[in-house]
Amino acid sequence: MQTQSNLEVYLDMDPGVDDAVALAVAAVRFHLRGVTTVAGNVTLDRTTANAGRLLRRMGLYDAVPLRAGSAAPLFHPLITAPSVHGESGLDGFPEGFDPPDPPPSETAWRFWEGRWRQASSPLRVVATGPLTNLARAGMGGLLPAEAVAQLVWMGGSLSGGNITPYAEFNAYVDPVAADWVVTASGWPMRIVGLDVTRKARFGAAAISRLKRLGPVGEALAQVLQAYCRRLGRPWAVLHDVVAVAALDAPWLFRWQRRAVTVVHDGRERGAVLAVPGVVGRPVWWAVDLDLPNFYTWFWAGMEQWRGSGDARA
Ligand code: RIB
Ligand code: CA
């Protein structure tokens, strides 16, 4: 599989329908060095199995290390979203691609630590789920500030939530992890919140186009069709795909530096607050997205799945 960028990238995710499409486009845009999973959209066993199914369908199961992370948030009971992503988290995906074995017992955070210590350069990570794994890596001293070159996160919102009026799902599931990462990690960070990701709609024409992009496109099309049927709407919002674009093509966005914090509990749990002045650590916050060129970017990448992937169960 050709990559269009030499960037070596790690994905931390909770597949999940939009995580699945994000993984497919990341696999052609970057040199994927690892996929780690976290509980979020569904339980950890399912997000991990889904990541394995996706890698198998992409023909990358033996090439890209897969490690499981946290089965629950740092201090809150796990909340999942099977009504959105299906009981499996990837309802509609072709049968027969379940991974033959569970991944190695090494945790996500120990995997990252080992890679950083052996690498000559700090890690680049795209996170599209709750930030529990990264918070555990940072709080545990396994990934100090200098260990991460760039963290892009799909999470938060400065313009209203989706799981509550105040909070976006990834921030809501583990607000303590999100708050620690955005205020205390010291990692250079770009955040794409609902402010821009809610624009990334993919409807019937996109699903039809995916069907023509080999076994990977066909499988994703089936997942999106099941998603649209489940939610009773003709389109899906692929939030996590926007996070991949934020690393590969940041010029598609308008960015503002913001010092932010995340509310831990109460009615506004998971709300992201822009803190006036320089309290906390400024991060780059996406305030706008060039939607036409985002779609052009996406399809240019996904075209590489035409004639690739593995339809053999
Ligand atoms: O709020 C959208 C985010 O929550 C996406 O990452 C989606 O996969 C869910 O995890
Ligand atoms: Ca996700």
Side-chain angles (χ1 to χ4, degrees):
M1 172 58 58
Q2 289 299 316
T3 61
Q4 299 193 14
S5 146
N6 291 326
L7 279 185
E8 296 192 350
V9 175
Y10 294 82
L11 301 183
D12 189 56
M13 47 183 22
D14 60 337
V17 171
D18 54 336
D19 302 76
V21 185
L23 174 51
V25 68
V28 293
R29 286 290 190 183
F30 305 131
H31 180 182
L32 274 194
R33 300 287 286 141
V35 174
T36 49
T37 52
V38 64
N41 287 322
V42 289
T43 53
L44 180 66
D45 58 326
R46 291 176 178 172
T47 59
T48 306
N50 290 336
R53 294 161 83 190
L54 288 157
L55 288 171
R56 284 194 68 191
R57 186 80 175 188
M58 293 172 189
L60 297 175
Y61 186 73
D62 296 324
V64 178
L66 171 63
R67 298 291 185 274
S70 303
L74 294 180
F75 299 105
H76 290 80
L78 177 61
I79 289 169
T80 57
S83 62
V84 175
H85 296 268
E87 282 304 317
S88 71
L90 213 54
D91 284 16
F93 197 81
E95 294 299 322
F97 285 85
D98 290 356
D101 308 298
S105 59
E106 181 184 43
T107 61
W109 40 95
R110 286 294 179 188
F111 170 68
W112 289 326
E113 180 198 24
R115 282 305 177 90
W116 175 58
R117 294 199 181 289
Q118 77 188 20
S120 57
S121 57
L123 310 183
R124 279 186 179 77
V125 184
V126 177
T128 59
L131 290 174
T132 318
N133 292 342
L134 282 157
R136 290 181 73 160
M139 289 172 162
L142 306 180
L143 286 185
E146 63 272 20
V148 176
Q150 178 75 259
L151 169 62
V152 176
W153 181 44
M154 190 282 123
S157 174
L158 293 178
S159 54
N162 55 359
I163 186 169
T164 75
Y166 314 99
E168 178 278 326
F169 179 82
N170 290 335
Y172 183 83
V173 168
D174 198 338
V176 178
D179 191 42
W180 188 87
V181 171
V182 301
T183 61
S185 67
W187 301 326
M189 210 172 164
R190 290 188 193 135
I191 300 180
V192 289
L194 295 178
D195 319 87
V196 294
T197 67
R198 57 167 61 101
K199 297 178 177 183
R201 290 186 177 189
F202 290 77
I207 292 172
S208 299
R209 187 167 180 180
L210 277 174
K211 285 181 179 174
R212 301 193 293 272
L213 297 179
V216 172
E218 173 57 33
L220 293 176
Q222 291 176 22
V223 167
L224 288 177
Q225 281 175 320
Y227 176 100
C228 292
R229 278 195 302 271
R230 189 164 50 248
L231 272 70
R233 64 165 89 127
W235 38 262
V237 183
L238 298 185
H239 302 278
D240 295 339
V241 175
V242 182
V244 177
L247 180 59
D248 188 49
W251 52 85
L252 292 174
F253 300 79
R254 186 156 58 84
W255 301 94
Q256 288 182 356
R257 282 183 75 71
R258 294 283 176 91
V260 295
T261 185
V262 181
V263 176
H264 289 192
D265 283 302
R267 184 180 59 142
E268 297 190 7
R269 164 185 166 177
V272 173
L273 306 179
V275 182
V278 197
V279 172
R281 188 176 55 81
V283 301
W284 287 103
W285 191 276
V287 293
D288 201 2
L289 169 64
D290 176 347
L291 197 56
N293 283 316
F294 164 75
Y295 287 125
T296 300
W297 167 86
F298 173 76
W299 290 114
M302 289 302 290
E303 279 296 327
Q304 292 193 60
W305 286 112
R306 192 186 298 270
S308 299
D310 187 350
R312 287 172 299 120

